[in-house]
Every structure is written in structure tokens, then in C-alpha cells.
Amino acid sequence: MMADQYQCWGTREDQPQKSQLSRALSIQLTALPTASVSVSPLGLLYSGETVTLQCVIPDYTDWMYHCYINNQELSSQTSETITISLPDQAGQYKCQGKRTTRPQWSNISSTLSIIVTALPEPTLSVEPNPVFPGETVTLTCSVESDSIWSYQWYKDRTDNVVSQSVRHTITGDTLTISRVTESDQGLYWCQGERRSRPTSSQQSNVITLTVTGELLCVSRVCQTLFILSQSNRHGLCVNI
């Protein structure tokens, strides 16, 4: 805030040629209010999230809030908050206020950078693979994070969720398939979920589980070697 004093006097050709000096007039210069822009939630921002930007201008009322992204006007509204979606609307944000009475403009805010952080990416592994009919196979999904995750399992299609069943056991980060059959063969992937942000991970890498066509087994009772063919579903008995 700056203040200067002004005085004046008058002159003319006739007598008196000069007036007295006027009383001092103080002219005070008040700085324009400066806008500030903030984001909620705080912290890292993730793809798929919706966040709120708020433009705050101290003093005065009846502002029209102008929001800019990458120096292009995004919105002009009476509400001081706007909602944006990530990652499409990530960028450099500023805001400024305008009103019909004095002062008509605020100073523009400093820049707020909205940066999207990649979602955690889980890693999927399987053991053993390939697997023989009747065996047990274990798939493990892990996210490198200190947080506790639960996992959703998928087979072949995004709408085909693998659920707990007699042969499918989900425990923590593992999916165990017992008594494997040909129907278990296919593409598997997983995705992490949790209550805190981010609420989900990326999808994991895709693994192809292969169920091999033949299984060798030995009967302890008759000491006979059975070669079980998955394709024709019959046993070939060979004496040993």
C-alpha cells in the first residue's frame, strides 16, 4: 500500500497573481487482490481420478472466476471451484477474478502444476507352467507397495472374473487352482484393489497357462503305467 500527498495553487496575470497553496490531498494506492489456486485431494494424483481446483481471492465479493490451463481459458463461472478429470486435464493451471465494480480484476495466481502419477503395476507369476491335468498350479500377483492390496483375477476376458470355488482358492496375493483340467487353460491377469488412494492398480502382465496333453502316472496297486490322453479321455494300460 503506497500513499502520496498532492497540493496545488493557482496563478494568473492580474493581481493577485498567485493563490495560496491548497490543503494536502493524500492519494493512497491499494494493491489488487491476488488470486491463489489449490487442488484437492493433496499429494500424488493418479490416472482415473477426479480432482477439485479452488480459486481463492481475498477481499471483495461478486467475483467471476476465470480458470486457465496451459495459458488457455478453461472456464469462467461464479463458483470458485471446478472439477477436472485425470489424465486428460492434467497441465499448468492459473486463475483470476473479474467483477463489475472496482476493482474489476484481481492479480492472476501463480501456476499450479497438475501432474499424473502412474498407477502401480502388479507382476503376475505362475508355478508350474505348463501344468498337467490333475496337478495344482499357483498364480501370484504382487504390487511393489507398502500398502495392503486385495486382488481381482481375470481369465480370457475382462468380464470373466475368477471367483472362489471348490477348485479355485484365493488367499492374499495368490490364486491356487487344484485338480487342473483343460478348461483352466487360457490367459490370466490380475489387478490390485484397496480402499485408500489409489483405489486400484494397473492390470498386470498377461500369462498363458498351458495344460499339457498327457500325464504319466504309476499305479501302486497293479504296478501298471497309465498314459492318460487329455484329447481322447481314455487310459492306455502298459504292464511293467
Side-chain angles (χ1 to χ4, degrees):
M1 184 178 295
M2 301 174 58
D4 288 312
Q5 290 191 336
Y6 292 84
Q7 292 176 286
C8 66
W9 67 84
T11 61
R12 64 177 189 171
E13 294 181 357
D14 297 334
Q15 295 292 330
Q17 291 183 325
K18 186 176 182 180
S19 70
Q20 296 185 45
L21 189 63
S22 70
R23 289 180 297 174
L25 174 66
S26 180
I27 301 295
Q28 191 174 68
L29 179 63
T30 302
L32 292 174
T34 299
S36 62
V37 60
S38 60
V39 62
S40 177
L42 298 174
L44 297 178
L45 303 175
Y46 298 93
S47 180
E49 289 189 321
T50 298
V51 301
T52 299
L53 300 180
Q54 183 177 24
C55 184
V56 176
I57 304 174
D59 303 325
Y60 310 103
T61 58
D62 303 325
W63 290 104
M64 178 71 72
Y65 296 92
H66 296 259
C67 185
Y68 305 90
I69 176 174
N70 302 328
N71 295 321
Q72 300 293 320
E73 187 168 64
L74 175 66
S75 66
S76 176
Q77 58 186 40
T78 56
S79 173
E80 64 181 20
T81 61
I82 65 167
T83 300
I84 62 172
S85 299
L86 302 179
D88 295 342
Q89 292 179 295
Q92 307 294 313
Y93 282 85
K94 296 179 182 180
C95 73
Q96 188 177 26
K98 183 180 181 181
R99 57 202 297 266
T100 56
T101 56
R102 301 175 57 245
Q104 290 188 316
W105 288 96
S106 73
N107 288 320
I108 197 165
S109 70
S110 56
T111 300
L112 174 67
S113 297
I114 300 298
I115 301 172
V116 178
T117 301
L119 292 171
E121 183 176 2
T123 301
L124 178 62
S125 59
V126 60
E127 182 65 33
N129 192 28
V131 61
F132 293 102
E135 288 188 322
T136 297
V137 63
T138 299
L139 294 89
T140 303
C141 187
S142 59
V143 177
E144 291 185 1
S145 171
D146 295 333
S147 300
I148 298 175
W149 293 84
S150 60
Y151 295 93
Q152 191 85 282
W153 299 88
Y154 300 90
K155 180 179 183 292
D156 296 329
R157 307 186 312 273
T158 55
D159 61 348
N160 186 20
V161 178
V162 181
S163 303
Q164 189 97 0
S165 68
V166 175
R167 295 194 307 107
H168 297 80
T169 303
I170 299 173
T171 305
D173 59 357
T174 62
L175 166 64
T176 303
I177 307 174
S178 59
R179 302 189 301 278
V180 167
T181 67
E182 184 181 8
S183 64
D184 296 314
Q185 181 167 284
L187 303 177
Y188 288 83
W189 65 93
C190 61
Q191 187 172 21
E193 297 178 343
R194 65 178 185 176
R195 292 183 179 180
S196 58
R197 299 176 52 248
T199 56
S200 67
S201 70
Q202 298 183 52
Q203 291 185 348
S204 72
N205 54 301
V206 177
I207 281 182
T208 301
L209 177 63
T210 302
V211 180
T212 193
E214 294 182 343
L215 172 65
L216 299 179
C217 65
V218 177
S219 169
R220 295 182 180 179
V221 177
C222 63
Q223 294 184 330
T224 301
L225 177 65
F226 288 93
I227 304 176
L228 302 180
S229 173
Q230 185 182 5
S231 59
N232 55 29
R233 301 294 184 183
H234 72 268
L236 173 63
C237 181
V238 181
N239 290 326
I240 58 174

